Amino acid sequence: MNLTIHQCFLPHTDFDASIAFYRDALGFELRNDVEYGGVHWATLGPPNQPDVSVVLTPPAGGDPGVTPEELSVVREMMAKGTYAGINLATPNVDAAFASLESALPDGADVVQEPTDQPWGIRDCALRDPDGNMIRIFEVR
C-alpha cells in the first residue's frame, strides 16, 4: 500500500479573513475557490507542495445532517481553538514566526512564541481568524 496525505479540512466562518490569513500571512497559493449550493470552500497550499492542500470549508463541512445544536457546539469549540488545527513545518521556526507575527491579519493571534519543547522540538502556535490552531515546528 502506498498512501500519501493529499488534503486536510479546516472550518471557516469568514471566508475573506481565512483566505487573507492562509494566502497573505502564510504564503499559501489559492488553488481553487468554489461556491456550490450555498456552500463556499477554497483549496490552498504551500507553493512547494502542489500535492498537499488545506480545504477551507464551512463548519461541519456544510453537512445538512448537522443539527443547529451540533453546529453551535462546533462554533463554540472553534472560538476556543479546540475544534481543528494543522501542524506545519519549517527549517527555521524563529524566522517564520518573526515574519508571521508582523503579517497576522485581524482575528488571528499568537498562542505561543517559539519554544523548545521537552519532547525535543521547537515550535510556535497561532490561531487563524476562525480559531483553528496552527502549530509550526522546526524540522532539524
Side-chain angles (χ1 to χ4, degrees), residues 14-34:
D14 183 332
F15 187 77
D16 292 333
S18 291
I19 294 297
F21 177 79
Y22 287 93
R23 184 192 57 209
D24 303 338
L26 292 183
F28 284 11
E29 61 185 14
L30 180 61
R31 297 177 180 156
N32 205 358
D33 181 349
V34 178

Side-chain angles (χ1 to χ4, degrees), residues 88-93 122 137-140:
L88 305 175
T90 181
N92 185 331
V93 73
R122 182 168 179 76
F137 64 94
E138 187 167 285
V139 178
R140 297 178 181 164

Side-chain angles (χ1 to χ4, degrees), residues 16-67:
D16 292 333
S18 291
I19 294 297
F21 177 79
Y22 287 93
R23 184 192 57 209
D24 303 338
L26 292 183
F28 284 11
E29 61 185 14
L30 180 61
R31 297 177 180 156
N32 205 358
D33 181 349
V34 178
E35 187 166 358
Y36 179 77
V39 178
H40 198 180
W41 71 90
T43 304
L44 303 98
N48 62 341
Q49 281 189 298
D51 56 340
V52 178
S53 299
V54 173
V55 181
L56 301 174
T57 66
D63 185 340
V66 175
T67 67

Side-chain angles (χ1 to χ4, degrees), residues 80-91:
K80 294 178 182 175
T82 58
Y83 183 70
I86 187 170
N87 288 353
L88 305 175
T90 181

Side-chain angles (χ1 to χ4, degrees), residues 11-12 57-67 70-71 74-75 78 83:
H12 74 78
T57 66
D63 185 340
V66 175
T67 67
E70 292 168 332
L71 186 56
V74 167
R75 288 181 184 259
M78 287 173 63
Y83 183 70

